[in-house]
């Protein structure tokens, strides 16, 4: 039966974000727990009337508290480089692990707190608790990871449908590994082996190998046109390889801005599917 592209396009989804997509609180709490004791020690500086001397004393007694300072500025690395009008200064907040801190070392850290505004933040009681403050920072930093989490959502979704088939399947498999495992020639896909090609999933049945690519595009962009053209080329090349079927599962409103290129691939790739197709059991019909 001939498929209708416009009808198929109308079933694309605007989002596939799950509850964990927005903030990974388990990771946030884990990061907080790693430095919770040290943050509570530094809490004694909040509203301090003699911040400089108290900070020096803490550095001498509990030098490990220094590892908390970068995260107070929403910075993950322990080495921070600062360019002033006169010189370049490198701060190593794990220096205490390698040597006993000198008075000059501690004064340098104190200068950092003053110049970055952290001293003012703590002394003027602008915050009440450093643990709560860092919790907010960690939530904010974790939101930056949404792009990476979003990239795996479609893979995870597709994998659940593949698992439901109870077939032999592999995740993130390179063409060279497919060739070696099942003794087939995929050189048409790799320019005779010059280009490394990896498929998101590979399903092996008794008589056929199914190679999968999957993605989700929430927004448009030039990348979508390149993706559609690339998968059209893969389709035409795999059609020349006996015993191998290419399946592309994609979705997202982003395709609305690249529908012309997507239609070109749709017209030559009968196994181009979306989430709506998966929900209606397309993989069971095609593979089993």
């Amino acid at each position: 039966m001939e498929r209708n592209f416009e009808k198929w396009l109308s079933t694309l989804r605007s989002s596939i974000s799950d509850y964990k997509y927005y903030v990974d609180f388990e990771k946030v709490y884990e990061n907080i727990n790693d430095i919770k004791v040290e943050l509570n020690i530094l809490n004694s500086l909040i509203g301090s009337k003699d911040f400089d001397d108290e900070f020096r004393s803490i550095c001498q007694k509990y030098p490990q508290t220094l590892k908390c300072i970068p995260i107070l500025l929403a910075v993950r690395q322990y080495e921070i480089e600062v360019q002033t009008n006169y010189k370049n200064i490198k701060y190593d907040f794990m220096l205490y692990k390698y040597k006993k801190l000198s008075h000059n070392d501690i004064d340098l850290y104190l200068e950092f707190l003053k110049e970055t505004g952290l001293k003012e933040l703590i002394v003027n009681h602008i915050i009440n608790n450093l643990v709560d403050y860092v919790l907010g920072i960690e939530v904010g930093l974790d939101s930056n990871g949404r792009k990476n989490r979003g990239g795996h959502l479609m893979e995870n979704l597709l994998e659940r449908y593949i698992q439901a088939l109870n077939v032999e399947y592999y995740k993130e498999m390179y063409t060279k590994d497919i060739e070696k495992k099942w003794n087939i020639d995929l050189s048409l896909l790799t320019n005779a082996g010059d280009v490394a090609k990896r498929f998101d999933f590979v399903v092996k049945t008794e008589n056929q190998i199914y190679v999968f690519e999957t993605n989700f595009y929430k927004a448009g962009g030039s990348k979508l046109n390149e993706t559609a053209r690339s998968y059209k080329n893969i389709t035409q090349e795999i059609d020349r390889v006996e015993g191998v079927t290419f399946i592309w599962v994609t979705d997202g409103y982003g395709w609305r801005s690249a529908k012309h290129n997507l239609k070109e691939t749709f017209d030559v790739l009968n196994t181009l599917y979306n989430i709506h197709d998966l929900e209606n059991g397309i993989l069971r019909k095609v593979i089993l």
Side-chain angles (χ1 to χ4, degrees):
M1 185 178 71
E2 186 176 347
R3 300 193 297 166
N4 183 289
F5 176 73
E6 291 296 335
K7 183 178 180 181
W8 180 83
L9 192 71
S10 70
T11 62
L12 297 182
R13 308 288 171 85
S14 61
S15 173
I16 54 170
S17 302
D18 59 12
Y19 293 115
K20 297 292 186 181
Y21 168 76
Y22 298 97
V23 176
D24 184 350
F25 277 106
E26 290 183 8
K27 180 181 176 183
V28 167
Y29 297 147
E30 182 180 333
N31 290 342
I32 290 291
N33 286 333
D34 286 343
I35 56 172
K36 195 171 186 177
V37 171
E38 289 81 4
L39 287 173
N40 278 312
I41 292 173
L42 292 176
N43 268 335
S44 64
L45 293 171
I46 294 177
S48 172
K49 301 299 183 182
D50 192 7
F51 180 91
D52 291 10
D53 285 344
E54 288 184 23
F55 175 76
R56 291 188 181 99
S57 178
I58 287 176
C59 286
Q60 290 170 345
K61 294 179 181 178
Y62 312 103
Q64 69 273 20
T65 56
L66 288 168
K67 68 181 180 182
C68 300
I69 292 178
I71 196 62
L72 299 180
L73 295 173
V75 176
R76 289 226 185 267
Q77 65 263 28
Y78 294 114
E79 294 184 2
I80 296 179
E81 197 167 342
V82 176
Q83 179 65 50
T84 70
N85 291 334
Y86 309 103
K87 59 182 177 179
N88 182 277
I89 306 176
K90 295 182 180 179
Y91 295 90
D92 182 356
F93 292 95
M94 298 293 278
L95 185 64
Y96 66 89
K97 282 196 166 188
Y98 314 112
K99 58 168 285 192
K100 183 177 180 180
L101 299 180
S102 67
H103 292 297
N104 288 337
D105 292 329
I106 296 174
D107 282 345
L108 195 61
Y109 293 128
L110 184 58
E111 178 188 25
F112 182 88
L113 293 176
K114 292 176 181 177
E115 294 299 326
T116 57
L118 285 175
K119 177 182 176 180
E120 181 182 1
L121 177 76
I122 296 171
V123 169
N124 292 340
H125 226 296
I126 297 173
I127 55 174
N128 295 316
N129 187 294
L130 287 172
V131 176
D132 294 341
Y133 171 74
V134 173
L135 175 63
I137 288 177
E138 286 289 350
V139 169
L141 289 175
D142 187 77
S143 69
N144 294 330
R146 288 175 188 167
K147 183 176 181 181
N148 291 332
R149 287 194 290 272
H152 293 295
L153 286 175
M154 194 67 176
E155 292 177 12
N156 295 340
L157 187 152
L158 174 58
E159 186 170 16
R160 289 196 293 271
Y161 282 97
I162 292 175
Q163 288 173 336
L165 300 176
N166 291 319
V167 293
E168 178 184 358
Y169 84 96
Y170 303 86
K171 191 171 182 179
E172 297 182 348
M173 197 171 191
Y174 283 93
T175 49
K176 62 180 178 64
D177 297 318
I178 299 172
E179 290 176 318
K180 183 177 180 180
K181 188 171 185 64
W182 293 297
N183 193 30
I184 60 171
D185 183 7
L186 296 176
S187 58
L188 289 171
L189 299 178
T190 62
N191 191 25
D194 290 339
V195 179
K197 172 63 185 168
R198 187 186 70 179
F199 290 101
D200 293 325
F201 297 97
V202 176
V203 168
K204 179 67 172 69
T205 63
E206 185 176 349
N207 300 313
Q208 195 75 7
I209 296 171
Y210 298 89
V211 292
F212 287 78
E213 289 284 359
T214 188
N215 36 51
F216 184 92
Y217 293 104
K218 197 168 188 176
S222 59
K223 181 180 179 180
L224 278 75
N225 290 322
E226 296 172 8
T227 299
R229 283 192 292 265
S230 171
Y231 289 169
K232 179 182 177 181
N233 291 336
I234 291 176
T235 299
Q236 294 167 335
E237 290 160 349
I238 284 186
D239 280 348
R240 298 159 59 189
V241 181
E242 186 177 352
V244 180
T245 298
F246 175 48
I247 297 178
W248 179 22
V249 182
T250 192
D251 214 304
Y253 276 6
W255 283 115
R256 292 179 173 183
S257 66
K259 58 184 287 186
H260 298 298
N261 289 82
L262 183 61
K263 186 178 186 305
E264 288 184 10
T265 307
F266 184 89
D267 289 341
V268 299
L269 179 58
N270 293 327
T271 50
L272 169 54
Y273 304 125
N274 60 18
I275 296 172
H276 181 263
D277 296 321
L278 294 178
E279 292 174 343
N280 283 279
I282 192 64
L283 293 187
R284 187 168 294 276
K285 296 173 186 176
V286 171
I287 295 176
L288 298 183

